[in-house]
Amino acid sequence: MNRKSGRRVALVTGGRRGIGLAVAEGLARDGYDVAITGTRDDEVAQAAVKSLEAHGVSAAYVAGNVQDVPDHARVLDAVEAVLGPIDVFVSNAGVAPPQRLDVLATTVDNFDYVMGVNLRGAFFLAQAVANRMLAKPSETPRALIVVSSCSAEMVSNNRLEYCISKAGLAMVVEGLSARLAGDGIAVFEVRPGIIKTDMTAGVVSKYDALIDQGLVPAKRWGKPEDIAAAVTALANPAVVFSTGTVVNVDGGLTITRL
């Protein structure tokens, strides 16, 4: 909790734009002081901070690459220096493979890049946040929320690295939730489906057609705000006993159908 404002503190990685910014906005609307991270400190990042502050809360931006594990302590120190200890951590930062290559043709560089951010970096940052939470007990339950993907269970053979990284995150959530449940720290996984963001800009026509053909029962693209709604609900201390829950935010995409 922010010692100055008395508000709970949230950290959202990859919060400059897209899903991350929508999540940060949702938490700010709910009265959280919010820190966001990204790899660049630019006009986009500063505009995001101003947008968050417009909700009447404190906001901060800390540049840092999730892939750089030794730098995690600096990032968390910077967040705590401005806002205070973290009550809700949202692991959202992620990348797609630099090249979409068939599973039989993909490269070590492709694999290592995706794993470095999406799995290795995400795991060790969540570990660091959890250890800081344990070092400063709270009477109010806290939460770690991992934004993964429907790709944790659905195969894409031209970007299997991404799918593997998200499947790995699913086990990270299970492991952390089991480890931290007795300490009043809930851990959740949110799995977006087909969401209209910068990451999907290159496949809009493809998925427009597939959605028209019935791929998504809800008959539409997901929006970043759909993910934000799920995350803000899980951030509520009242749902701590639901730790380990996976929430599919995909309009029914992953429902098994005949």
Side-chain angles (χ1 to χ4, degrees):
M1 181 172 291
N2 189 324
R3 293 178 294 271
K4 296 179 181 178
S5 71
R7 290 185 287 265
R8 282 162 60 81
V9 175
L11 169 61
V12 182
T13 64
R16 290 170 66 255
R17 58 185 181 179
I19 290 174
L21 181 55
V23 167
E25 293 267 13
L27 291 166
R29 280 193 294 271
D30 278 2
Y32 286 81
D33 288 335
V34 184
I36 55 176
T37 71
T39 57
R40 297 183 300 280
D41 191 352
D42 55 11
E43 292 181 358
V44 174
Q46 296 311 313
V49 170
K50 290 180 180 179
S51 177
L52 296 171
E53 290 175 337
H55 296 286
V57 300
S58 297
Y61 179 80
V62 180
N65 191 332
V66 173
Q67 189 172 11
D68 187 357
V69 174
D71 191 47
H72 289 173
R74 178 197 62 82
V75 170
L76 297 180
D77 286 345
V79 172
E80 291 181 354
V82 176
L83 300 180
I86 296 163
D87 298 288
V88 173
F89 171 63
V90 183
S91 178
N92 168 75
V95 295
Q99 294 178 285
R100 282 179 173 253
L101 300 173
D102 183 84
V103 62
L104 299 182
T106 195
T107 65
V108 171
D109 287 345
N110 240 22
F111 186 92
D112 287 349
Y113 173 66
V114 172
M115 291 297 164
V117 177
N118 294 4
L119 184 54
R120 180 177 180 272
F123 168 70
F124 282 106
L125 184 53
Q127 179 196 69
V129 172
N131 278 319
R132 290 187 181 220
M133 288 181 172
L134 291 174
K136 297 179 180 179
S138 170
E139 294 182 1
T140 303
R142 292 165 293 180
L144 309 178
I145 303 169
V146 175
V147 179
S148 63
S149 170
C150 63
S151 294
E153 60 177 306
M154 302 182 77
V155 171
S156 296
N157 268 330
N158 65 346
R159 54 169 194 155
L160 193 65
E161 310 91 337
Y162 184 82
C163 302
I164 294 170
S165 71
K166 298 303 183 178
L169 275 181
M171 185 52 66
V172 169
V173 170
E174 289 197 20
L176 288 176
S177 60
R179 173 62 178 82
L180 299 171
D183 297 291
I185 301 171
V187 188
F188 302 106
E189 181 184 358
V190 173
R191 292 185 181 176
I194 303 168
I195 311 297
K196 190 164 283 188
T197 66
D198 291 347
M199 188 178 285
T200 55
V203 291
V204 169
S205 58
K206 170 187 174 181
Y207 282 106
D208 277 346
L210 290 171
I211 290 170
D212 285 343
Q213 295 164 18
L215 178 65
V216 179
K219 300 180 181 179
R220 69 168 175 86
W221 282 79
K223 299 176 291 185
E225 291 75 16
D226 294 318
I227 312 305
V231 171
T232 54
L234 295 172
N236 187 329
V239 299
V240 64
F241 204 64
S242 296
T243 189
T245 295
V246 178
V247 179
N248 293 307
V249 188
D250 61 11
L253 172 68
T254 53
I255 297 172
T256 302
R257 291 166 284 162
L258 290 174

